[in-house]
Amino acid sequence: MSSSQCFENPPTLSSTCGEGTVQDFGGLQTYITGSPDSKLAIILISDVFGYEAPNLRKLADKIAGTGFLVVVPDFFYGDPIIDFNDPNFDVNSWLKIHNVDKGNEDAKAVIAALRSKGVSAIGAAGFCWGGVVLVKLASSTDLHAAVILHPGPITEDQINDVKVPIAILGAEIDHMSPPEQLKQFGEQLSAKSEFDSFVKIFPGVAHGWTVKYNVEDESAVKSAEESHLDMLNWFTKYVK
C-alpha cells in the first residue's frame, strides 16, 4: 500500500456529505444510508482516505437507492490519511497502526452487528486498502458476495482461500495490482466450480479510478459509473 498511486488525487473529506447519517455501529463510527429495515446489506471498506470521502458516500447512497442498507465504517478511528506529502507524516507507522488484520477484525464486528439487527444477506466492496481487508473476509462464508476494486497487495494464496462469489475490478494503469496479476487471479478463481467469479480490467484508467475520479471529467465519471454498475449487478445477483 506504499505505492504512490494509492495517495494520488486525495479527496477533500467532509463529515457532513451524503444523504445518510453517522452512527456508532459495531463499535465504529459508521456512515449509514438506505432503509434501516432492509434485510440485505452492503459494507463499503474504504481506501486509506477513509469514510468521509464524498465520492465514496455518493456511491453508498447510489447503492442504497436500489434497496440495500449500506454501511461505511470508519476503520481508521478518525485518523485517515489527509496529506501524504506532509513531511511529518510517516506512512509506514500509519500502516502499522491501521493494518489490514485489525481492519478484518473490525469488519467482522460490523457483520455481527448487521446480523444482530436481522439482516439476512451481506455483501461487501473494498477499495485499495479495503480490498486487502475484503479478500481475507471472503475466505469465510460470512459474506454472500465480494467486489474488490483496484486492490492493494493481495496474494495467490489469499485468492485461493476465497469461498464466496467475487468480482475483481482493476485498472489498466496500476502498479499495485497490475492487469497481468489480476488476470492470473481470474484464472485461479475460474478453476473453482463452487462459486462464480469475474475479473474485469478497465482501459485507460489508473488505480483508484472508482472513487477518486474528478467529477468534472466526463470520461473519468463514465468509467467510474461503469464500475459502480458492475458492482451493483454483482450484489443484486448474489446478495438476496
Side-chain angles (χ1 to χ4, degrees):
M1 235 92 56
S2 57
S3 167
S4 63
Q5 281 187 310
C6 294
F7 310 109
E8 292 172 357
N9 306 317
T12 300
L13 303 182
S14 169
S15 62
T16 58
C17 64
E19 300 170 10
T21 59
V22 174
Q23 304 171 33
D24 187 292
F25 192 81
L28 299 175
Q29 287 294 290
T30 301
Y31 177 77
I32 301 177
T33 182
S35 170
D37 299 321
S38 177
K39 301 301 181 187
L40 310 176
I42 303 298
I43 305 168
L44 299 187
I45 309 174
S46 74
D47 60 18
V48 296
F49 297 107
Y51 84 134
E52 293 182 345
N55 285 352
L56 183 64
R57 289 193 177 185
K58 187 190 299 183
L59 176 56
D61 292 337
K62 183 191 296 187
I63 297 169
T66 66
F68 293 102
L69 171 65
V70 185
V71 297
V72 191
D74 176 15
F75 288 102
F76 307 132
Y77 295 84
D79 182 36
I81 291 180
I82 303 294
D83 182 5
F84 177 66
N85 295 313
D86 181 342
N88 295 316
F89 176 70
D90 181 350
V91 66
N92 292 321
S93 295
W94 187 90
L95 287 169
K96 191 172 182 179
I97 295 169
H98 304 297
N99 62 78
V100 293
D101 290 333
K102 171 69 170 141
N104 186 53
E105 291 306 310
D106 285 342
K108 288 179 179 178
V110 172
I111 291 170
L114 288 168
R115 294 283 188 209
S116 72
K117 74 185 299 296
V119 168
S120 58
I122 303 169
F127 308 81
C128 189
W129 180 93
V132 186
V133 172
L134 181 51
V135 77
K136 290 173 176 281
L137 287 176
S139 66
S140 77
T141 53
D142 290 338
L143 298 175
H144 283 68
V147 180
I148 292 177
L149 306 97
H150 42 84
I154 56 181
T155 67
E156 290 184 15
D157 286 344
Q158 288 173 325
I159 291 294
N160 201 48
D161 287 341
V162 169
K163 293 184 175 64
V164 297
I166 185 168
I168 302 176
L169 308 181
E172 179 184 14
I173 308 160
D174 195 330
H175 308 311
M176 182 69 70
S177 291
E180 298 76 20
Q181 182 187 47
L182 297 186
K183 289 174 184 174
Q184 187 176 341
F185 289 163
E187 291 174 7
Q188 263 185 275
L189 290 165
S190 64
K192 293 173 175 278
S193 58
E194 60 270 32
F195 60 83
D196 283 346
S197 59
F198 173 66
V199 174
K200 179 175 176 179
I201 307 300
F202 285 68
V205 296
H207 182 93
W209 93 97
T210 65
V211 285
K212 294 196 293 180
Y213 58 90
N214 179 349
V215 294
E216 296 177 358
D217 183 333
E218 187 176 331
S219 175
V221 171
K222 184 178 179 181
S223 290
E225 289 182 342
E226 182 182 342
S227 73
H228 301 164
L229 182 60
D230 288 340
M231 176 201 306
L232 192 53
N233 287 341
W234 197 255
F235 288 147
T236 301
K237 187 175 182 180
Y238 295 108
V239 184
K240 58 188 180 180

